[in-house]
Amino acid sequence: MKHKILFFILICTSIIATSCTKGGDFYLRRTIFIEDENSPGLPIYSEWGYNTFGAYIDRAEFVSTDMEQPVKVFVRNDSCHIQLAGSYNSQQTTIDFSIADFTPKDESELLSLDNKTFDLSDKKLSTSLNIGTQTHPLQSAEGELKIKRAQKLFVDKEFEKVVLSGTFHIKALYNNQPISVSDGRFDLGVSENNFFDLQEKP
Amino acid sequence: MKKPTKIIFSTLLATFFLVTAQAQNCPIFRIGAEYGEKTVLSAKVNDKWNIHQDVGGRWYDYNSRLGMNNGNGFAAYTQKYVGIKPEVSLLNDRLNIYSGLRLTMISEDISGIGDNAHFYLREATPQGIEFYRVKTINEKLNYLSIPLEVSYVPIVIQQVAVYGKLGAQLGYRISGKTSLDFVSESMKQHESELIQKASVENNKLYSEIYAAIGARFISHRKLHFNIEYMLPSRMLTKNNGSVTQPTENEGGLQLSVQVPLQLFSGKK
């Protein structure tokens, strides 16, 4: 009977220990915001997985916050969407970069984006902006999304997430009004927690 | 040479000449022991350690080096010393000159706050970003130094004297150890590699100048029991610690006891 109890405790401990590591290191999901002295209100450009992004929409800052998940990557309708969520003029705001004909199965496949530049005049990339309750595609857009670095992040020699770091700038029409998104930068971690494969299975 | 340094060295030099001039008077020789501690309010992390999360000063600082609202640890610096202290007293025990041998022990820490807390030591590699979960980075350094001090007693009330002291010391590092305490024991094998990659170096020499005010109890056999408040000292050497550096220093405390040599010889 004693052996059975001990065995049961051992099994439970193993399950708990395994489940604790499954979601990844909690502290690495947090945001580390270091202000760029040259771009007040925006985070510095970095490649350490600080979970931040920022840009000026016209003259106001659009930045990641401590509360919201700054990035979600989801695959749907044969496109990969990189959605950045933050705050602009005290309103919840998201910007969506949609890369056509790119359907990664998991976050590891995002490594193929390393050192890739997408020109907005090329139909392969489309963008939309959601400010508050208004969602509009960014029309007649020019600009680029540059993923300078896509790399793996390991914690204690175990794979944790993929870090995407880069820059972006856009000039477009938003709800028929010209808008400029400038000085955009991001340093974001993508793991199984914020990668979604929503592709319909045949 | 900066002004306080000039003042201290001038004082010590003047004392030397005074001792020479007073050589014909009967000085009292004593031998003693001392213990001292420096109080460091806050310390900053050496930038050469590539730490991912904010490790602020000893009192949690939201706006410190690595950013906002992510302080996950603190940096500490402590300094203690013990020594043997020969002394010569002149001018009817008003002027006291000390030297001796002193062992200064410095301990620096970067550690997470709370039980099971950790921070990340990181490095960029061709394969990606490597993070190591670390509970503590600790360094212990021991310096053997020769102090030279002079104190003057302006006030004596019965058996209690009040005095001021100036001093300087020069030391050499006799031992030192830097260690990392990992969350995962299996990472211990990377300790030497990470310490080497930090490229941190400690100065083998240690030198500082300092001042103190003290109170002395004088026994009927002319034993001295001293307690001193050490004013914040000025370091003359740099890089005496590769993990943290003190940023706010409140001085320290020293206790010592000095015994006249004639007591050992049985003379009264």
Side-chain angles (χ1 to χ4, degrees), chain A residues 25-28 30-34 47-50 66 149 151-158 163, chain B residues 50 52-53 66-70 118 120 122-125 127-133 184 187 190:
Chain A
D25 198 312
F26 169 74
Y27 294 105
L28 289 179
R30 298 192 309 190
T31 290
I32 298 179
F33 190 105
I34 304 167
E47 295 179 357
W48 289 113
Y50 279 157
D66 284 340
R149 197 89 167 88
Q151 56 185 327
K152 285 186 177 180
L153 187 151
F154 300 89
V155 177
D156 291 346
K157 300 295 184 186
E158 286 193 16
V163 173
Chain B
N50 198 345
H52 184 66
Q53 285 173 287
L66 284 179
M68 302 190 309
N69 299 337
N70 283 287
H118 59 272
Y120 301 95
R122 66 188 185 191
E123 57 169 344
T125 71
Q127 292 74 40
I129 307 166
E130 292 277 1
F131 277 28
Y132 300 88
R133 291 178 300 160
S184 173
M187 293 297 109
H190 300 285

Side-chain angles (χ1 to χ4, degrees), chain A residues 160-179:
Chain A
E160 175 77 16
K161 60 172 91 174
V162 168
V163 173
L164 300 176
S165 311
T167 57
F168 58 94
H169 61 91
I170 306 166
K171 280 162 70 173
L173 287 174
Y174 173 75
N175 196 19
N176 287 321
Q177 294 294 316
I179 196 170

Side-chain angles (χ1 to χ4, degrees), chain B residues 70-101:
Chain B
N70 283 287
N72 201 43
F74 66 86
Y77 181 101
T78 58
Q79 185 174 325
K80 298 179 187 180
Y81 58 89
V82 293
I84 51 171
K85 213 167 175 173
E87 172 198 343
V88 58
S89 291
L90 303 164
L91 301 179
N92 198 25
D93 235 356
R94 292 262 179 173
L95 185 71
N96 309 91
I97 301 160
Y98 309 87
S99 187
L101 261 185

Side-chain angles (χ1 to χ4, degrees), chain A residues 42-56:
Chain A
L42 302 187
I44 58 167
Y45 174 77
S46 54
E47 295 179 357
W48 289 113
Y50 279 157
N51 292 322
T52 55
F53 72 84
Y56 293 120

